[in-house]
Amino acid sequence: MGVVIVNFKAYREGFGKRAVELAKIADNVASRCDEYIGIAVSFLDLPVIVKEVGIDVYAQHIDAVDFGSHTGRINAEMIKEYGAKGSLVNHSERRLKLADIEYNVSKLKNAGLTSVVCTNNIPTTAAAAALNPDFVAVEPPELIGSGIPVSKAEPEIVENSVKAAKAVNSSVRVLCGAGITTHEDYIKALELGAEGVLLASGVVKAEDQKRALEELVGLI
Ligand code: G3P
């Protein structure tokens, strides 16, 4: 069983009512396949979606702060209170300082939540693995949203990121992402040693989101 995390980002097709619909699609597909399917949704949609689906729901980001005088911030304990499974950390579109990545990984762990630290290349994947998150997800930024799958266009980045991460921390789980769209892209990622994929546009922006996710996990 591989891991598939669908990041709804701030796409209109993955926000509000459409996010709830897409979450239900993901929940339904997950119930019919062997893969683990999780979703990463907007803060605004998260409390609604966790009540509507059985699959794990992640935040797309958290701030490296505790409770206190931090205007407009959301921390690990807050997303826990609303039923999140965990959070992406340091996504390419929401980069953090090293100290803040470490803070978030440790806060998520202390809260019993899952951390998915995003990285952009092999050295940063090794560095992130050293912080002992649950997952690292390597995503070359130039391929994000391109439809060109990292697992085919840059297989050596996936393969060597897995090796580098495992050399530092044998228990960390490695995902890859950027341009992943088809079942073939997904299988190739698994063949390269990744435990799964983090993806967005291939499903969220698809004309038929249900069909896209079914195809990705090999149901059709
Ligand atoms: O978080 C997933 C992401 O950055 C990859 O995006 O659209 O290339 O699947 P996409």
Side-chain angles (χ1 to χ4, degrees), residues 35-211:
E35 314 309 297
Y36 166 91
I37 299 180
I39 53 177
V41 306
S42 160
F43 288 131
L44 291 171
D45 293 323
L46 191 144
V48 177
I49 288 176
V50 293
K51 292 196 181 113
E52 298 284 342
V53 298
I55 54 173
D56 291 335
V57 183
Y58 294 77
Q60 298 174 2
H61 164 81
I62 50 170
D63 294 303
V65 295
D66 209 334
F67 283 106
S69 55
H70 308 290
T71 303
R73 301 284 182 176
I74 292 186
N75 67 30
E77 286 86 356
M78 291 174 181
I79 63 163
K80 181 177 183 177
E81 193 158 325
Y82 281 90
K85 171 72 176 173
S87 182
L88 305 183
V89 175
N90 192 47
H91 189 278
S92 182
E93 293 146 6
R94 197 68 199 260
R95 284 288 186 233
L96 295 173
K97 289 187 288 194
L98 182 59
D100 292 345
I101 299 171
E102 192 281 328
Y103 181 96
N104 279 343
V105 168
S106 132
K107 277 285 183 184
L108 286 163
K109 198 175 289 292
N110 292 341
L113 300 179
T114 301
S115 51
V116 183
V117 177
C118 301
T119 58
N120 60 316
N121 59 26
I122 299 160
T124 58
T125 305
L131 302 175
N132 203 24
D134 297 287
F135 291 95
V136 289
V138 60
E139 302 193 317
E142 67 279 8
L143 295 179
I144 291 178
S146 69
I148 302 168
V150 62
S151 52
K152 286 191 180 164
E154 311 253 21
E156 63 292 340
I157 291 195
V158 179
E159 204 164 19
N160 291 325
S161 289
V162 173
K163 285 184 189 152
K166 294 285 184 185
V168 171
N169 177 351
S170 60
S171 64
V172 75
R173 306 178 70 189
V174 184
L175 308 178
C176 68
I180 301 289
T181 307
T182 67
H183 186 58
E184 201 183 325
D185 304 340
Y186 171 55
I187 294 300
K188 182 76 181 151
L190 299 181
E191 284 170 3
L192 292 167
E195 290 196 35
V197 295
L198 175 61
L199 82 156
S201 52
V203 168
V204 184
K205 298 285 285 177
E207 210 165 291
D208 185 336
Q209 295 171 326
K210 180 162 180 253
R211 191 176 167 79

